[in-house]
Amino acid sequence: MKSMSSRNNSSLSPSRWKDPHLQKCRRRRLLKPKSNNSLRKFVEVICKSLGRTRRFAAGTEAGFAIYLIIKKLDTGVPLASHIEAVKEGEEPVSFGPNAFLVDNGDGWKVETVTEVEFVF
């Protein structure tokens, strides 16, 4: 009768590492092409009030991005209230103040929402 430790050690043996099925799985994961978006280290935010695009490091908190955008605005320009990712035909994704900015992929644009847009 084998002890528990010998059973656990056999699953970690070098012969297990050479299993063709496992090697095939590892190769698929390693050779899987990455999209261009995954290589980008920044997120572009379209600022409607400024009429410009601002870049922020991926992972920047949305509240901090809004703070920096508002600092650049002139008096009388509609203030940005929050940030959303939008894509035609899709429901917008709103970023809360503590949410991290991320690039949502093809067709999605990350942009500010101004207070004027909320007036009916």
Side-chain angles (χ1 to χ4, degrees):
M1 185 165 157
K2 289 186 176 182
S3 69
M4 284 290 271
S5 61
S6 65
R7 257 190 271 153
N8 289 340
N9 289 339
S10 66
S11 66
L12 300 174
S13 68
S15 62
R16 177 94 169 121
W17 299 340
K18 294 178 183 179
D19 181 359
H21 176 70
L22 290 177
Q23 287 179 346
K24 187 176 175 182
C25 291
R26 282 190 202 110
R27 259 183 291 180
R28 277 192 197 142
R29 248 181 308 192
L30 294 174
L31 299 177
K32 186 177 179 184
K34 295 185 177 189
S35 70
N36 289 338
N37 291 337
S38 66
L39 300 176
R40 290 172 53 174
K41 304 287 186 202
F42 60 87
V43 177
E44 291 184 336
V45 178
I46 302 166
C47 179
K48 293 180 180 179
S49 300
L50 288 173
R52 294 190 338 206
T53 300
R54 299 279 318 265
R55 287 183 176 179
F56 296 95
T60 299
E61 287 187 357
F64 180 69
I66 288 291
Y67 167 77
L68 291 180
I69 289 169
I70 289 174
K71 273 181 52 171
K72 298 265 185 189
L73 295 177
D74 294 328
T75 307
V77 176
L79 295 178
S81 61
H82 65 281
I83 296 175
E84 285 185 342
V86 295
K87 182 178 181 178
E88 191 170 324
E90 296 284 342
E91 184 72 24
V93 177
S94 297
F95 289 89
N98 296 325
F100 298 116
L101 293 179
V102 293
D103 186 350
N104 290 7
D106 293 335
W108 287 89
K109 293 185 279 184
V110 181
E111 60 187 25
T112 60
V113 177
T114 60
E115 293 175 351
V116 174
E117 294 176 45
F118 288 114
V119 178
F120 293 94

